[in-house]
Amino acid sequence: MHKSFHAFWAFLSVVSLLAAQELPVELDVPAPQPIAYELPVSPLTVNGSQEPEIDLGKVFKLTNRFFQVVVENPSDEPVKYTNIVVNCECTTIQNKIPVPGEIPAHGKLKLLLRLNAGDLSSRHFFRMIRFELEGYRQFQVSFTGELDTSLYMTYYDEPEPVKHGEVMIGYLEDPNEPWETRLNITLDAEEGELKLGKIKCTKNFIAALHRFDERHWQVELHAVNPVALGELRDAVVIQLEAPRPAEGQQDVIVLPIQGICGTRIVPTTEEIYLDKEVAPEQYERKILLERLPFLDKLSIVRMFRGQQSPYMPEIKVLTVDEVKVPDDVPGVEFELTQEKVGVVVTIKMTRDEMVMGGYPAVFEVKNSQPAEVWIGLLSEERRKQFEEDAAAAAEAAAAEAAAQAEQDAIK
């Protein structure tokens, strides 16, 4: 491995390479600015060029390509940049770069870039990063390449092998139950040898590599019990030693793991407050506890399409015998009854024995994230918050109604 990439594997071993798996986060990043053609061209260069274009060659769709870009300032004055724009979510800057910042006179700025080829769709791709500069026209670094699908993963037990870019586990009901599978990694090429190096997994899984022949390997993947409850934000990461990209670049196979472990117990409400001024001494309230799957990317996509979570057919209805009732909530007793979709909890409250501000009632169920319901007397602080929330909701509803009325008048 090229010496500049000796630090890569240490980096990969401690960082979860799951940026592509996580839900989009709205970042506080300045919007891209239009190109100011009236400004002078900056002195910045990459590989001696003021209009650099880096040819990445062939990039396997199954991999992440890591490569370094060194931006140089050969001038006698520092160059300040106000923003760095990347034109595709498939590309990320891996090292910490201050924004805004500056490149000193006769200085350099090193960027470690990661291209997730699994997010590319066109065979020939063109991507770029752009520096918005103070006093100069924008400086753009372009990189191009060809998407190659001849390296792929299949499941070992598929009757008709299908190329996959992630490991679909689905629903693991019991975090303590052993789980394993095998994945085939194939290079479908007439020439060349497939060489795989180190393999790493994130915390819930462990894997081993087995070589079949010069173009076929197998990954043996096991769960590490107990698997953490929730969405599986895990991945298998394999160093690709051959075929190799150009000097100064490194390919890594990244197989995100898709699925959930366990379930969550969801109450119809998370807060119950009694107003001591008006509530009777004895008061009852009913809530429903349901067993539901965790939300992952696949579930959220289905939800926006008006479809059911793909895991729901495997989720069993919650039963009374499974629920551990809390016994430490002041002034409160619980009674459980079975319903078709879950468990109804009758909450019996004795006003004068309850706690001002509330106390958590935690309903525990094996292999599930527990439900927590806050039960107590209404404090003045909470009353004020309720009143403010109600006023804000009324104001928003009035504004919406006014806007709709204005729109209707135009029609």
Side-chain angles (χ1 to χ4, degrees):
M1 186 186 298
H2 188 271
K3 66 179 182 179
S4 66
F5 288 90
H6 281 305
F8 265 178
W9 200 255
F11 169 77
L12 297 177
S13 66
V14 297
V15 176
S16 176
L17 281 174
L18 301 178
Q21 272 193 278
E22 296 174 356
L23 300 179
V25 177
E26 188 174 339
L27 299 177
D28 186 17
V29 175
Q33 299 296 314
I35 299 176
Y37 289 103
E38 70 278 5
L39 295 176
V41 174
S42 81
L44 300 181
T45 64
V46 170
N47 299 329
S49 173
Q50 290 183 303
E51 297 181 350
E53 183 173 305
I54 300 170
D55 183 4
L56 296 178
K58 288 187 177 181
V59 180
F60 293 114
K61 190 171 179 65
L62 198 63
T63 66
N64 281 214
R65 169 70 57 86
F66 290 85
F67 59 103
Q68 192 175 76
V69 171
V70 181
V71 181
E72 299 187 56
N73 175 17
S75 73
D76 296 330
E77 299 292 334
V79 174
K80 295 181 179 180
Y81 57 89
T82 58
N83 193 16
I84 302 177
V85 179
V86 182
N87 78 332
C88 177
E89 291 184 358
C90 64
T91 306
T92 52
I93 300 173
Q94 295 292 283
N95 53 331
K96 291 183 178 180
I97 302 296
V99 178
E102 73 173 30
I103 306 174
H106 304 285
K108 300 178 181 179
L109 179 67
K110 295 181 179 180
L111 303 177
L112 178 59
L113 299 181
R114 170 190 172 199
L115 173 68
N116 183 357
D119 287 343
L120 299 173
S121 55
S122 56
R123 181 179 176 185
H124 298 281
F125 62 87
F126 176 91
R127 295 294 183 268
M128 65 85 179
I129 59 172
R130 191 172 69 235
F131 287 79
E132 294 177 353
L133 306 176
E134 198 173 279
Y136 293 102
R137 195 178 302 176
Q138 295 172 349
F139 176 69
Q140 179 172 307
V141 182
S142 305
F143 48 97
T144 62
E146 181 180 346
L147 191 62
D148 190 329
T149 59
S150 62
L151 178 68
Y152 56 88
M153 182 273 283
T154 57
Y155 296 113
Y156 79 103
D157 56 354
E158 284 181 310
E160 300 258 341
V162 176
K163 297 178 181 180
H164 299 278
E166 58 187 8
V167 184
M168 298 294 295
I169 286 182
Y171 169 50
L172 299 181
E173 181 178 5
D174 186 348
N176 292 292
E177 185 174 333
W179 179 92
E180 66 176 271
T181 192
R182 282 168 282 161
L183 315 167
N184 294 328
I185 308 292
T186 302
L187 177 63
D188 189 7
E190 295 182 1
E191 298 181 358
E193 181 178 359
L194 174 61
K195 293 183 180 180
L196 303 182
K198 295 179 181 180
I199 184 169
K200 296 281 185 180
C201 293
T202 43
K203 63 180 181 179
N204 286 312
F205 296 89
I206 191 169
L209 278 172
H210 306 287
R211 182 182 182 274
F212 286 164
D213 57 44
E214 63 180 13
R215 296 191 186 92
H216 297 86
W217 291 65
Q218 190 170 87
V219 177
E220 184 181 347
L221 183 64
H222 293 261
V224 177
N225 302 114
V227 177
L229 294 175
E231 178 188 0
L232 298 175
R233 293 180 174 269
D234 292 272
V236 182
V237 184
I238 310 169
Q239 184 180 349
L240 181 61
E241 295 185 345
R244 289 189 59 82
E247 189 77 4
Q249 302 178 23
Q250 177 68 52
D251 280 348
V252 177
I253 297 173
V254 180
L255 302 173
I257 295 176
Q258 177 82 51
I260 63 171
C261 178
T263 53
R264 55 198 176 106
I265 306 304
V266 180
T268 48
T269 184
E270 296 180 348
E271 295 180 322
I272 297 175
Y273 291 104
L274 289 188
D275 188 339
K276 192 172 183 178
E277 301 300 322
V278 298
E281 170 63 16
Q282 302 294 328
Y283 183 78
E284 288 190 4
R285 173 80 178 270
K286 293 181 185 292
I287 64 171
L288 176 68
L289 299 179
E290 288 186 88
R291 178 167 25 221
L292 296 176
F294 288 98
L295 294 176
D296 63 354
K297 285 196 310 180
L298 187 58
S299 300
I300 292 172
V301 169
R302 293 279 187 93
M303 181 177 67
F304 279 115
R305 292 175 179 171
Q307 300 171 341
Q308 187 185 57
S309 164
Y311 311 113
M312 274 305 294
E314 301 180 62
I315 306 298
K316 299 174 183 177
V317 173
L318 182 66
T319 63
V320 168
D321 294 340
E322 295 178 90
V323 181
K324 182 181 178 182
V325 174
D327 58 5
D328 57 351
V329 184
V332 181
E333 294 181 353
F334 303 95
E335 183 180 289
L336 306 181
T337 53
Q338 188 67 51
E339 290 291 337
K340 184 177 180 180
V341 296
V343 173
V344 171
V345 182
T346 301
I347 304 172
K348 300 179 178 181
M349 293 167 273
T350 302
R351 183 194 62 202
D352 292 343
E353 296 177 8
M354 296 172 66
V355 175
M356 184 65 68
Y359 192 91
V362 180
F363 299 89
E364 297 181 356
V365 176
K366 185 179 179 182
N367 300 334
S368 295
Q369 184 183 80
E372 182 175 294
V373 181
W374 203 264
I375 306 174
L377 298 176
L378 183 64
S379 66
E380 288 305 313
E381 293 81 6
R382 198 72 181 109
R383 185 196 304 276
K384 183 179 179 181
Q385 184 63 53
F386 281 149
E387 291 173 351
E388 290 176 354
D389 291 346
E395 184 178 346
E400 183 178 351
Q404 185 60 50
E406 184 179 347
Q407 188 67 27
D408 292 342
I410 296 174
K411 293 178 183 178

